[in-house]
Amino acid sequence: MMVVLWTDALLWLVFALGLGYGLYAARRPHLRAPWRRVVRSRTALAAAVVLAAYAVVGLLDSIHLRAGPRDQGPYAGEVVSLLDRLLTPLRVHQEKTYAAPFALHLYARETVQGPDGRPLRTWPRLRWAPEGVDEAHKAGHILRLALKGVLWGLMAWLAFWGLLAAALARVRRATFGGTARRLVRGGDPVPWPTLLGTAALVLVVAGVLAAWAPHYHVLGTDKVGEDVLYQALKSVRTGIVIGTLTTLVMLPAAILLGIAAGYFRGWVDDVIQYVYTTLSSIPGVLLIAAAVLMLQIYMSNHPGEFDSLVRRADLRLLFLCLILGITSWTTLCRLLRGETLKLRDQDYVQAAHAFGVAHFTIIARHILPNVLHIVLITLVLDFSGLVLAEAVLSYVNIGVDPTMNSWGNMINGARLELAREPMVWWSLAAAFLFMFGLVLAANLLSDVVQAAFDPRTRGARR
Amino acid sequence: MTAPALVVRDLSVSVGGSRVVDGVDLEVAAGETFALLGESGCGKSMTALALMRLLPPGGRVRSGSVRLDGEELLDLPEYAMRGVRGGRLGMIFQEPQTSLNPVLRVGDQIAEAARLHDPAADPRRRAVELLAAVGIPDPERRVREFPHQLSGGMKQRVMIAMALAGRPRLLIADEPTTALDVTIQAQVLDLLADLRRETGMAMMLITHDLGVVAESAGRLAIMYAGQILESAPVGAFFAAPAHPYGRMLLAALPTGERRGGHLAAIEGRVPSPDEALQGCRFAPRCPQAEARCHRQPPDWHPVGPGHRVRCHLWAQGGHGAHVDVPVAKGPGAEEGAAAPLLETQGLQVHFPIRKGLLKRVVGRVRAVDGIDLHLDAGRTLALVGESGCGKTTCGKALLQLIRPTGGRVLYRGRDLAALSGRALRPFRRELQIVFQDPFAAMNPRMLVGDIVAEGLVAQGLAKDRAERRARVAELLERVGIAPEAAARYPHEFSGGQRQRICIARALAVEPRLIVCDEPTSALDVSVQAQILNLLHDLQTGLGLAYLFITHDISVVAYLAHEVAVMYLGRIVERGRVEAVLAAPLHPYTRALLSAVPEPDPASRRQRIHLEGDMPSPADPPGGCHFHPRCPEADARCAREYPPLRTLSSGRVVACHHVPDG
Amino acid sequence: MSAYLLRRVLYAIPILIGVNLLTFVLFFVVNSPDDMARMHLGVKRVTPAAIEEWKRERGYDRPLLYNERGEGLARFTDTIFFQKSLALFRFDFGTSDSGRDIGYDISQRMWPSLAIAVPTLLVGLALNVTLALTLVFFRATYVDFWGLVGLVALMSISGLFYIIGGQYLVGKLLHLVPISGYDTGLAAAKFLILPVVVGVVSGIGSGGRWYRTLFLEEVGKDYVRTARAKGLGEARVMFGHVFRNALIPILTGVVVILPLLFMGSLIVESFFGIPGLGSYTIDAIQRQDFAIVRAMVFLGSVLYILGLILTDISYTLVDPRVRLE
């Protein structure tokens, strides 16, 4: 049975908006031209493939189902996502406590009853260690699995290549074979080999992970024995939600107020400027802290209003997006106000006035389309900053719900582990890797997008 | 001819892969002024930057040789080239506003150049001397000022001073006066001529203005699409241009004699540098082009002493071919129509200046300060003045795009200034506007069809989509644009085509009056002729009235019936065009007219010098606004503002010194 | 100019009132003092008497806006809004929920915050500007391209990892400096090195990239071409002309955050155990001490507005074109 959480709905809305924008942009040359510049950049294309991989994980994790009574295990009746279903082995392979990556035994020694009945201090074998594999055969087993994974990845890649070539051949009315060859050899303005290369890398990594994961804890387990790879993958959704929804929820207000202030000037401008100066004068962290603390009090005093832990965490996530949005919409609003001030004196706006065109129509036809590039740049530019902010806020305990998987919570939980003897490094490393991948890809893409859309930088670059 | 200071041979420059300069040969003799003439995008600035070896990123010299006093510049290592740059080879640029470093004092900027190229002298002293040499009053004080404290003309003088610091053998001046007003242009051109005489340096003047060439240069070369088409002594060229392009350029100039007729517009547009052209570059636009012009590049042919041309037709002795201009006098509206279409009475637009704690109004910028105009149906009134005189504000105030702060704007007897936004809407149909910059006048995000239809929709003039589409097609055809353009975006069109589309947009609501705010000043001469022809045809065909705002006297002479001259927010002289241009009465009008460079080296008039710049309209001088610059001013002029008097000739003028009668 | 500044200062008053109202609504209206008391006391000890006692100890036992039982002005002054919110305008921060004088704590704790923030800012500024100038000097070459990629990679790493990594590398592996803690006087220096280094390194990515953009924008301008046309060498063009102009946005960008340096860095201070205002705030958030959070919100707003005014002044100092009217 489908369960639709607030953030699920909104995340899919973002996805739909993105698709809609794509169709809209494809039919307008002034939007198609900058996007063409983006697509022709190798960096941007590679970054986009990586981001797409993250997006697939995040979107799969945003279709929630209530597990039916036939499901077994401790999660019967729980709300789980499609991704959880796919990752069932990872989800249910819970160990007792820390285990290192690819370990067969727990990380810490415990006292167990030996075969002779005497207490024995040893590293107990993991509950979910692959059967019949011991330390001597482990390397071979891992290698065999890896080969299988590479094979899966390559098969998926071939399918991707074929589909892409078929689609392109159809659009260009070219032969399938010729198109497919061009895709790997290059020669088009769009660097297809880069796209296919990055896709191959992503798919092979995914294949290998898929081959290993049912048998090993690829990134180890955390203190309570949960698989770290699973946590890191589940955190992808949190990052994406924060990165996109925050900008989305503030967008209507920022656009409306920014344009209104710049277009009407006078007292409208004064009031709007007052509002955003006041809001931006409060240090962001403190405003978020205050708001989240208030939410916590509210939630702890009204426990009955939330029917499940998942819903409660989800609402808190949405609230966090909202409050993050409130602290960050002022920048966009100010930018839009400035641009509108410039646009309203443009000759074509004056010409519209000379025809007696109504204000609302002028805003919709002349102002809004000419400030949308600023909105787009803000959207892509803010994304990575927000993903990073989530980690910091969760570390200070004013971020997402502690029960929710997020990189910030992972770091928060693991920050003292480096000081342990022996050191536990894999939780931090996993959070680092997954975050770095997402943020780096987003930053590289946003660099190219900004250069393509910002008329100021367009001339400055080669 | 004396020994050439600069010899350029077969210079080719490419920027980002396209060949913007293609096999240029030039010679500049010591002490002469050589003009490189061409329309925008022809590669003349790139040629200059290549000589300085200052090409922008992505630009490089592909081949050729540049010799300054016999020394090959293109082979010099960069450090040696730095000694030449700003030393023996100086350069000044088009935009004095942006070409000076805004955060450094002008004295320091000049001293910096002096220190490099004249180490013996005290650089600060040199800076003061140089400022004095370029005619800046009070140089001791000015060296300590920042560029924003100087007017545009002064900034260009500072640029010249900077270039002079290295005592150049050759000064390259890239459109040095294009950004300046005519009276200031005259000052700067005179200064450059004086300096050339005093120092004996050679000058390479890069310009698009035939008048400037005729008045200041000794020899010229015409550049088109990266190549030189003709080079000649200035006198010989203006007497008998040899290349069809040169002939057509001259014929495209609007003048009083060509009134009522068509100008020789050059159809089409300059080819873009990445188009591969086999034959003569001008062949696609040349009305006399033959088959081989399109196939085979022409060779140089001598015409006279120092005069040669690159044209196949010349070789055949085709120099008899001349440009035929059909002169057809249109009917034109007769004067003395009943009631004026539009009349302003004491029109005022004042902008408050707020200061202090409570933002009280402490003063007013009197952009438009009591203007009376009247315009009859079907006629053209030209509003002439230099930048900052308030003419554009006046035009916008007529249309109520800026609400007047005083006075009345009577359109067929109804005061528009008294109407509210809603009541004004029906009148929006009757009065329209065409702007100066065709690139800023159209929303880049809209289709041309939607842009043209905007007025139809706003005024509810088309019942349905089909009617609207038909109307747009009809309008586009009327201005000479193919109706298929409706489905395209503005950026696909050239400046001239865009201006046509803007005119079509204004025509859509069938106005009676169009305010034309410098509609041709952003366009090249050949394209300007197209637009002027179109405006002329529309007036004769539709009986439109124009309020033509311009700073270009030649356009006034060609197009207008009446002219009003504005100075600092007020009209100083008004009358029929022929009368005012032939015998200007107000000293400002006289100075303005004499400052306009004539494209005819034979007619060297006495130029009236105006000192200084136009004062700020926030703080106009007491008495007659013009008296601080007026050569005829006396004590009375400083005391009282002269009233606007109507003379018996019907001329209206505001000057104490003009006698009645 | 003085009139302009005075107006800016006066404009700060409605903004601070707005901030005050917002925090008042957030802290007292959304959740009543009773809610807070219940939360602090924990589930087990919640009795009406305990709640009243908790509120009385902290002065939350008054009505919010209007005191019916008061007389005269006291109807308005003997309220939570007047006592707790408006008092902030006198910089009277009151006592924290644990009974300490907040004003005294702030005056003590701002020095360690400054001791970290100021060196971090200065060293970071020098480093980033140098880096950006170097990249712009080599613009359109591989040095610039890979330099930029490096900067983007650096700014893609969460600040938390810089701290964790710094502590692990320098403190635990190399044993160069203590991992955390603080001391008074000069002895504090050895505790400051690591936080400053971490702060500087974590800022290289975004700072260097931003300055590079500023320099690149200037390099394309007309006056740079004029400077070259004079015969100036590339180094003179860079330092004498481009640098001078790019300095304007850089300096004013620095000035705007100067006052906020007092607030300290939340994360760095709490990780390294520096007893500054940043860790003070974090502790207050984690202990849910609303009196301190409220005081810090107000203080932050005041400093932000001060920063804006200072920015305006600094513009007139570095940019000859700007006059304040």
Side-chain angles (χ1 to χ4, degrees):
Chain A
M1 201 180 59
M2 274 277 274
V3 176
V4 180
L5 300 178
W6 272 105
T7 50
D8 288 347
L10 288 171
L11 203 61
W12 281 100
L13 177 70
V14 170
F15 183 67
L17 283 178
L19 277 185
Y21 172 81
L23 288 177
Y24 176 84
R27 283 193 275 125
R28 278 166 181 73
H30 56 84
L31 290 174
R32 213 164 49 208
W35 276 116
R36 191 177 290 145
R37 272 197 290 277
V38 172
V39 172
R40 288 180 182 178
S41 146
R42 282 205 251 159
T43 327
L45 215 56
V49 172
V50 174
L51 284 179
Y54 275 96
V56 167
V57 174
L59 286 172
L60 281 178
D61 204 5
S62 297
I63 302 173
H64 283 91
L65 308 159
R66 192 176 294 279
R70 280 186 294 133
D71 287 270
Q72 297 118 25
Y75 290 93
E78 278 278 317
V79 174
V80 293
S81 72
L82 218 55
L83 185 78
D84 289 329
R85 286 283 178 91
L86 290 176
L87 300 180
T88 302
L90 285 178
R91 186 161 56 98
V92 298
H93 287 187
Q94 186 135 14
E95 303 295 343
K96 208 166 163 197
T97 178
Y98 293 119
F102 293 110
L104 297 174
H105 302 273
L106 278 181
Y107 197 56
R109 270 202 283 197
E110 282 184 4
T111 310
V112 293
Q113 213 151 39
D116 50 358
R118 277 188 306 176
L120 187 66
R121 195 123 175 91
T122 181
W123 293 273
R125 195 173 162 89
L126 295 178
R127 264 178 72 193
W128 299 95
E131 276 173 41
V133 176
D134 57 21
E135 292 295 339
H137 298 103
K138 195 170 87 173
H141 187 231
I142 291 173
L143 202 67
R144 276 199 307 280
L145 287 174
L147 281 175
K148 198 165 81 179
V150 170
L151 216 63
W152 288 350
L154 285 178
M155 271 154 60
W157 179 76
L158 280 174
F160 176 72
W161 179 24
L163 278 175
L164 190 69
L168 230 81
R170 218 182 126 85
V171 172
R172 295 182 178 173
R173 298 168 201 280
T175 61
F176 175 80
T179 316
R181 267 195 300 279
R182 268 182 93 77
L183 283 183
V184 278
R185 282 211 197 123
D188 277 358
V190 178
W192 294 111
T194 310
L195 178 102
L196 286 175
T198 321
L201 197 72
V202 170
L203 288 172
V204 165
V205 167
V208 172
L209 284 180
W212 281 338
H215 306 280
Y216 291 95
H217 297 290
V218 179
L219 290 171
T221 60
D222 73 348
K223 191 167 183 179
V224 295
E226 224 184 18
D227 191 278
V228 171
L229 177 63
Y230 174 70
Q231 289 178 342
L233 283 170
K234 288 287 284 180
S235 302
V236 169
R237 175 178 184 272
T238 314
I240 292 180
V241 166
I242 298 254
T244 54
L245 289 196
T246 301
T247 323
L248 189 79
V249 294
M250 68 159 180
L251 220 48
I255 293 179
L256 198 75
L257 295 180
I259 291 182
Y263 184 81
F264 292 108
R265 298 202 284 201
W267 65 268
V268 178
D269 190 17
D270 290 342
V271 169
I272 293 171
Q273 276 200 68
Y274 169 75
V275 168
Y276 72 59
T277 314
T278 304
L279 273 180
S280 59
S281 78
I282 302 176
V285 182
L286 287 174
L287 188 64
I288 295 166
V292 171
L293 286 183
M294 288 307 132
L295 182 78
Q296 275 175 359
I297 296 180
Y298 184 85
M299 282 181 165
S300 69
N301 288 334
H302 303 84
E305 291 180 20
F306 309 97
D307 61 356
S308 73
L309 232 57
V310 178
R311 267 200 200 286
R312 190 182 134 137
D314 181 67
L315 268 182
R316 175 156 168 174
L317 179 64
L318 186 62
F319 184 78
L320 186 68
C321 290
L322 215 75
I323 190 73
L324 266 172
I326 287 176
T327 58
S328 61
W329 71 278
T330 52
T331 320
L332 179 63
C333 190
R334 194 162 47 222
L335 283 176
L336 289 177
R337 174 181 170 271
E339 190 68 15
T340 308
L341 272 177
K342 267 185 265 165
L343 286 176
R344 79 188 295 279
D345 287 331
Q346 284 281 317
D347 284 347
Y348 55 81
V349 177
Q350 298 274 312
H353 281 301
F355 286 123
V357 179
H359 289 309
F360 183 76
T361 317
I362 290 184
I363 290 179
R365 296 186 93 183
H366 296 297
I367 308 279
L368 191 61
N370 283 299
V371 297
L372 275 185
H373 69 279
I374 296 182
V375 176
L376 183 81
I377 291 173
T378 311
L379 237 123
V380 293
L381 226 52
D382 280 1
F383 178 82
S384 47
L386 287 166
V387 174
L388 293 178
E390 184 275 328
V392 171
L393 292 178
S394 296
Y395 166 76
V396 194
N397 285 333
I398 52 175
V400 298
D401 197 271
T403 63
M404 180 167 249
N405 282 305
S406 90
W407 292 313
N409 280 340
M410 282 172 79
I411 300 169
N412 194 14
R415 68 188 142 126
L416 295 176
E417 289 172 358
L418 277 187
R420 260 180 64 107
E421 288 294 342
M423 186 175 70
V424 175
W425 49 270
W426 45 87
S427 270
L428 283 174
F432 174 81
L433 272 179
F434 274 79
M435 246 173 114
F436 184 67
L438 179 62
V439 175
L440 182 64
N443 274 334
L444 289 174
L445 183 69
S446 76
D447 247 22
V448 182
V449 170
Q450 190 184 13
F453 277 88
D454 192 344
R456 254 192 341 164
T457 57
R458 211 178 284 163
R461 289 175 185 243
R462 279 172 296 156
Chain B
M1 210 197 313
T2 42
L6 178 81
V7 180
V8 178
R9 287 283 170 262
D10 190 34
L11 181 70
S12 291
V13 177
S14 65
V15 175
S18 58
R19 202 174 263 243
V20 292
V21 177
D22 192 5
V24 160
D25 292 335
L26 293 174
E27 272 176 28
V28 184
E32 81 163 336
T33 299
F34 171 81
L36 190 57
L37 178 83
E39 295 184 292
S40 54
C42 72
K44 53 192 194 299
S45 289
M46 281 302 154
T47 309
L49 290 174
L51 302 185
M52 296 285 287
R53 284 180 43 189
L54 280 178
L55 287 171
R60 65 188 191 87
V61 174
R62 295 176 74 112
S63 65
S65 124
V66 175
R67 287 176 177 274
L68 183 67
D69 291 331
E71 185 183 13
E72 176 59 55
L73 295 187
L74 297 182
D75 292 343
L76 284 182
E78 177 60 23
Y79 69 87
M81 188 61 207
R82 264 181 237 139
V84 176
R85 241 181 250 145
R88 282 183 291 153
L89 195 57
M91 182 160 180
I92 56 178
F93 300 96
Q94 174 171 358
E95 285 290 342
Q97 311 293 345
T98 55
S99 293
L100 288 170
N101 190 332
V103 302
L104 296 181
R105 293 172 200 281
V106 294
D108 293 344
Q109 298 193 46
I110 299 171
E112 190 178 43
R115 200 172 293 127
L116 273 177
H117 301 287
D118 195 0
D122 171 18
R124 312 221 146 254
R125 284 271 307 284
R126 272 291 276 162
V128 176
E129 282 168 26
L130 285 165
L131 274 190
V134 296
I136 289 189
D138 199 3
E140 303 279 350
R141 183 169 62 85
R142 292 290 185 184
V143 286
R144 288 193 303 276
E145 292 195 338
F146 289 97
H148 72 274
Q149 292 167 293
L150 306 177
S151 68
M154 297 250 246
K155 277 185 215 157
Q156 196 58 292
R157 285 170 192 263
V158 171
M159 287 293 293
I160 295 171
M162 220 182 307
L164 289 180
R167 304 182 205 279
R169 282 274 289 154
L170 174 71
L171 178 67
I172 303 174
D174 186 2
E175 302 265 11
T177 57
T178 308
L180 306 175
D181 280 317
V182 266
T183 56
I184 310 297
Q185 162 169 298
Q187 293 173 2
V188 171
L189 288 178
D190 284 352
L191 170 69
L192 285 173
D194 293 345
L195 289 171
R196 185 175 57 82
R197 260 194 306 279
E198 285 162 24
T199 62
M201 67 179 176
M203 196 161 85
M204 184 160 150
L205 182 67
I206 294 170
T207 182
H208 69 283
D209 190 328
L210 286 159
V212 169
V213 174
E215 298 219 337
S216 2
R219 278 190 321 121
L220 66 78
I222 300 185
M223 204 163 171
Y224 183 83
Q227 287 185 340
I228 289 186
L229 299 183
E230 181 171 357
S231 78
V234 163
F237 172 80
F238 282 93
H243 198 281
Y245 178 59
R247 283 201 297 273
M248 291 180 77
L249 274 186
L250 280 181
L253 290 175
T255 60
E257 292 94 67
R258 296 185 178 140
R259 273 180 84 84
H262 268 169
L263 300 170
I266 307 178
E267 296 305 326
R269 60 201 279 186
V270 179
S272 76
D274 31 69
E275 275 174 57
L277 287 175
Q278 284 190 329
C280 171
R281 297 277 159 117
F282 187 59
R285 299 174 74 191
C286 183
Q288 293 152 303
E290 298 168 356
R292 72 169 165 152
C293 294
H294 293 282
R295 266 197 334 267
Q296 188 184 346
D299 290 328
W300 283 107
H301 300 287
V303 178
H307 189 171
R308 45 188 205 143
V309 67
R310 204 178 202 173
C311 179
H312 287 305
L313 303 170
W314 189 267
Q316 302 167 345
H319 54 282
H322 62 276
V323 184
D324 285 318
V325 180
V327 178
K329 273 263 182 199
E334 286 311 305
E335 54 188 308
L341 185 68
L342 183 90
E343 196 176 358
T344 67
Q345 294 170 351
L347 182 68
Q348 272 185 355
V349 182
H350 290 182
F351 300 108
I353 306 171
R354 293 172 194 279
K355 255 190 182 168
L357 190 58
L358 299 171
K359 290 212 162 191
R360 266 174 322 190
V361 178
V362 294
R364 280 173 297 177
V365 178
R366 298 155 192 272
V368 176
D369 196 18
I371 279 192
D372 301 333
L373 293 172
H374 64 91
L375 175 57
D376 294 332
R379 290 178 68 82
T380 302
L381 167 67
L383 194 56
V384 181
E386 294 178 281
S387 53
C389 72
K391 55 189 193 297
T392 294
T393 311
C394 179
K396 288 188 176 167
L398 290 186
L399 299 185
Q400 308 299 311
L401 291 178
I402 299 173
R403 285 301 192 143
T405 46
R408 308 208 294 166
V409 178
L410 298 173
Y411 177 77
R412 299 172 128 192
R414 285 288 296 275
D415 184 9
L416 300 185
L419 293 178
S420 72
R422 194 170 293 274
L424 203 58
R425 194 165 285 180
F427 290 92
R428 297 281 189 203
R429 260 194 86 170
E430 314 269 313
L431 297 94
Q432 276 304 310
I433 183 163
V434 173
F435 295 96
Q436 170 175 5
D437 181 2
F439 288 83
M442 280 187 281
N443 186 344
R445 309 286 192 242
M446 277 167 73
L447 290 171
V448 164
D450 293 334
I451 291 171
V452 175
E454 183 161 38
L456 296 176
V457 177
Q459 292 285 337
L461 293 180
K463 280 196 295 292
D464 52 28
R465 183 174 290 221
E467 188 185 336
R468 198 157 66 218
R469 197 175 296 158
R471 193 74 183 100
V472 167
E474 185 190 321
L475 286 162
L476 286 174
E477 255 175 352
R478 169 127 223 165
V479 297
I481 300 275
E484 293 76 47
R488 291 159 67 186
Y489 283 89
H491 70 87
E492 298 172 55
F493 297 90
S494 68
Q497 288 172 316
R498 286 183 198 215
Q499 200 58 292
R500 287 166 187 270
I501 295 169
C502 288
I503 293 172
R505 170 174 66 182
L507 290 178
V509 292
E510 297 167 5
R512 310 277 299 251
L513 185 155
I514 297 184
V515 173
C516 301
D517 187 1
E518 308 239 22
T520 60
S521 60
L523 305 175
D524 282 319
V525 181
S526 61
V527 181
Q528 162 173 295
Q530 298 172 7
I531 300 297
L532 291 179
N533 286 342
L534 174 65
L535 289 173
H536 178 261
D537 292 346
L538 290 174
Q539 185 163 50
T540 47
L542 302 172
L544 290 174
Y546 294 135
L547 178 75
F548 206 93
I549 297 169
T550 183
H551 66 276
D552 189 339
I553 304 292
S554 58
V555 173
V556 176
Y558 169 72
L559 197 72
H561 302 104
E562 250 98 7
V563 61
V565 181
M566 248 180 116
Y567 187 79
L568 225 56
R570 294 190 185 176
I571 304 277
V572 295
E573 182 165 1
R574 206 172 70 204
R576 295 178 52 91
V577 164
E578 311 86 73
V580 172
L581 296 192
L585 294 177
H586 195 282
Y588 175 65
T589 318
R590 264 183 281 164
L592 191 66
L593 291 183
S594 79
V596 179
E598 287 270 336
D600 179 7
S603 80
R604 297 237 160 157
R605 293 146 296 122
Q606 182 63 43
R607 210 181 265 170
I608 302 170
H609 260 286
L610 281 191
E611 292 305 324
D613 296 293
M614 181 150 52
S616 154
D619 183 23
C624 175
H625 288 350
F626 186 57
H627 86 266
R629 301 173 73 193
C630 182
E632 298 170 33
D634 58 19
R636 185 176 167 213
C637 299
R639 240 180 10 253
E640 46 187 283
Y641 194 89
L644 211 55
R645 288 176 297 143
T646 309
L647 308 183
S648 54
S649 57
R651 192 90 67 91
V652 179
V653 67
C655 179
H656 294 304
H657 294 275
V658 175
D660 283 313
Chain C
M1 170 137 158
S2 54
Y4 175 86
L5 288 179
L6 191 58
R7 205 174 66 237
R8 285 300 301 259
V9 172
L10 290 179
Y11 185 58
I13 294 172
I15 288 180
L16 288 176
I17 292 177
V19 170
N20 229 314
L21 274 175
L22 199 75
T23 44
F24 176 76
V25 168
L26 215 51
F27 284 99
F28 295 109
V29 180
V30 176
N31 292 289
S32 65
D34 287 28
D35 292 336
M36 277 191 271
R38 222 169 283 140
M39 168 118 182
H40 264 264
L41 293 171
V43 188
K44 286 177 192 161
R45 281 175 293 161
V46 172
T47 60
I51 289 178
E52 282 309 312
E53 174 67 15
W54 189 90
K55 276 161 62 182
R56 200 181 49 74
E57 275 173 13
R58 290 160 181 79
Y60 294 139
D61 53 348
R62 299 182 179 90
L64 285 180
L65 282 171
Y66 182 73
N67 194 341
E68 287 177 359
R69 281 173 297 172
E71 281 174 20
L73 268 182
R75 285 171 187 239
F76 299 99
T77 56
D78 195 19
T79 57
I80 289 183
F81 181 66
F82 191 86
Q83 298 282 335
K84 296 287 173 187
S85 279
L86 288 186
L88 293 174
F89 276 100
R90 298 192 315 253
F91 291 94
D92 170 6
F93 296 119
T95 53
S96 68
D97 289 347
S98 54
R100 291 175 57 92
D101 180 1
I102 298 177
Y104 175 79
D105 276 352
I106 289 177
S107 69
Q108 289 297 304
R109 280 173 164 260
M110 62 186 246
W111 300 112
S113 283
L114 284 178
I116 291 182
V118 172
T120 307
L121 179 82
L122 293 181
V123 177
L125 188 67
L127 190 68
N128 293 343
V129 166
T130 316
L131 206 63
L133 267 178
T134 315
L135 291 186
V136 173
F137 195 85
F138 289 106
R139 66 189 172 280
T141 65
Y142 277 102
V143 177
D144 182 34
F145 178 79
W146 287 110
L148 183 63
V149 170
L151 290 179
V152 173
L154 280 179
M155 67 182 275
S156 302
I157 299 173
S158 168
L160 296 174
F161 288 113
Y162 284 108
I163 299 174
I164 296 172
Q167 278 188 333
Y168 179 72
L169 269 181
V170 183
K172 198 173 168 195
L173 280 189
L174 305 174
H175 298 289
L176 291 179
V177 291
I179 291 179
S180 76
Y182 197 68
D183 205 340
T184 49
L186 278 180
K190 69 171 191 276
F191 290 102
L192 293 180
I193 294 173
L194 190 53
V196 168
V197 167
V198 166
V200 168
V201 172
S202 62
I204 288 180
S206 52
R209 198 172 74 122
W210 168 234
Y211 295 158
R212 175 182 168 275
T213 317
L214 291 180
F215 285 128
L216 268 187
E217 206 170 292
E218 290 297 325
V219 164
K221 291 198 172 159
D222 280 357
Y223 69 83
V224 177
R225 189 180 57 185
T226 310
R228 294 217 176 92
K230 278 184 216 174
L232 292 179
E234 189 63 19
R236 288 290 303 276
V237 172
M238 275 303 193
F239 283 96
H241 290 267
V242 174
F243 185 63
R244 291 283 280 272
N245 279 279
L247 213 55
I248 295 172
I250 292 177
L251 270 188
T252 47
V254 167
V255 169
V256 76
I257 59 163
L258 272 184
L260 286 172
L261 292 183
F262 282 93
M263 303 284 289
S265 162
L266 299 180
I267 310 295
V268 169
E269 284 183 17
S270 82
F271 253 106
F272 291 103
I274 309 286
L277 283 180
S279 55
Y280 187 57
T281 316
I282 289 269
D283 291 347
I285 292 172
Q286 289 181 338
R287 281 203 319 271
Q288 313 201 333
D289 191 327
F290 302 112
I292 297 178
V293 174
R294 226 164 41 228
M296 295 309 285
V297 165
F298 185 78
L299 189 65
S301 306
V302 171
L303 293 174
Y304 175 83
I305 294 166
L306 186 67
L308 289 185
I309 297 174
L310 285 180
T311 309
D312 280 355
I313 298 175
S314 70
Y315 258 119
T316 60
L317 296 181
V318 292
D319 190 339
R321 286 163 294 183
V322 176
R323 301 231 60 79
L324 298 181
E325 289 300 348

